Amino acid sequence: METKPLRTGGELEEIIHRYQSMVYGLALARTGSAADADDVFQETFLAYYRTGKTFREEEHRKAWLLRTALNLSRRVTASTYRSKVVPLEEGEGVALPFREPEENQVWQALQSLAEEYRLPIYLFYFEELSTQEIAKILAIRPGTVRMRLSRGRDQLRTLLKGDYFHGE
């Protein structure tokens, strides 16, 4: 039986450093829970370490990490355990990801959107991915990504209207 060489600590640390905010942010946007996002983050990089997969281009590595984080996030949110637990009261002990209150308000509004709008908006605006890249990660057509971005922006505009759009 042939074994794959394990990654060196330095290489793994560099990859984690490069993609940590992207993987964690996607997991947080998908699960809505910092604890679940932590678990997905760890499992994503553990899977990367264990597979020993090599990539010809950095874009392929990035896509693999995001796709893996998305799949692991889905597994977490679909678990029967999650449907049997009672969440803590909203806002209790939950650390918001930004320093500025306005950014946290936008983040909270984003979290209230349905996943089909939340994920494309997160990947487009927070991670600055193209609609083509988002389409590959989410396994949907680029036109569908553009439609979801448009509808998601409309919903965010409505949610934030009282806070940010006083003059309209």
Side-chain angles (χ1 to χ4, degrees):
M1 181 172 151
E2 190 176 320
T3 60
K4 293 181 181 178
L6 295 177
R7 300 182 187 287
T8 64
E11 176 197 1
L12 184 60
E13 283 180 27
E14 193 264 317
I15 297 302
I16 291 171
H17 180 73
R18 184 179 308 157
Y19 295 109
Q20 65 187 356
S21 66
M22 187 176 288
V23 168
Y24 182 80
L26 177 63
L28 186 59
R30 174 65 177 86
T31 65
S33 160
D36 289 339
D38 288 340
D39 291 344
V40 168
F41 175 87
Q42 290 175 15
E43 287 185 44
T44 299
F45 288 106
L46 183 59
Y48 175 75
Y49 175 78
R50 286 182 175 163
T51 63
K53 220 169 165 47
T54 58
F55 298 92
R56 279 184 255 158
E57 296 180 24
E58 199 57 34
E59 288 301 310
H60 292 144
R61 181 188 331 267
K62 178 168 110 178
W64 186 91
L65 288 167
L66 289 173
R67 190 79 195 142
T68 300
L70 184 62
N71 290 337
L72 290 168
S73 296
R74 282 189 179 132
R75 192 175 305 151
V76 166
T77 57
S79 82
T80 56
Y81 169 78
R82 191 174 176 124
S83 66
K84 294 177 183 178
V85 297
V86 178
L88 295 174
E89 296 220 7
E90 215 169 296
E92 185 180 307
V94 176
L96 294 170
F98 302 101
R99 289 189 180 122
E100 298 298 320
E102 295 83 15
E103 292 174 315
N104 283 317
Q105 288 174 325
V106 172
W107 178 257
Q108 289 175 318
L110 178 65
Q111 292 305 301
S112 71
L113 297 180
E115 180 185 334
E116 68 181 310
Y117 304 121
R118 183 175 63 243
L119 292 179
I121 286 176
Y122 173 78
L123 292 169
F124 188 79
Y125 289 104
F126 288 79
E127 298 304 334
E128 300 177 348
L129 298 180
S130 70
T131 55
Q132 293 283 42
E133 291 170 313
I134 296 168
K136 284 181 184 176
I137 291 165
L138 299 179
I140 57 177
R141 294 188 336 254
T144 303
V145 171
R146 289 188 291 276
M147 180 268 306
R148 289 179 182 181
L149 285 170
S150 176
R151 290 181 182 172
R153 280 190 294 261
D154 289 345
Q155 289 180 19
L156 279 176
R157 192 174 296 114
T158 300
L159 288 168
L160 297 171
K161 194 168 203 107
D163 293 330
Y164 295 100
F165 301 103
H166 294 293
E168 291 183 13

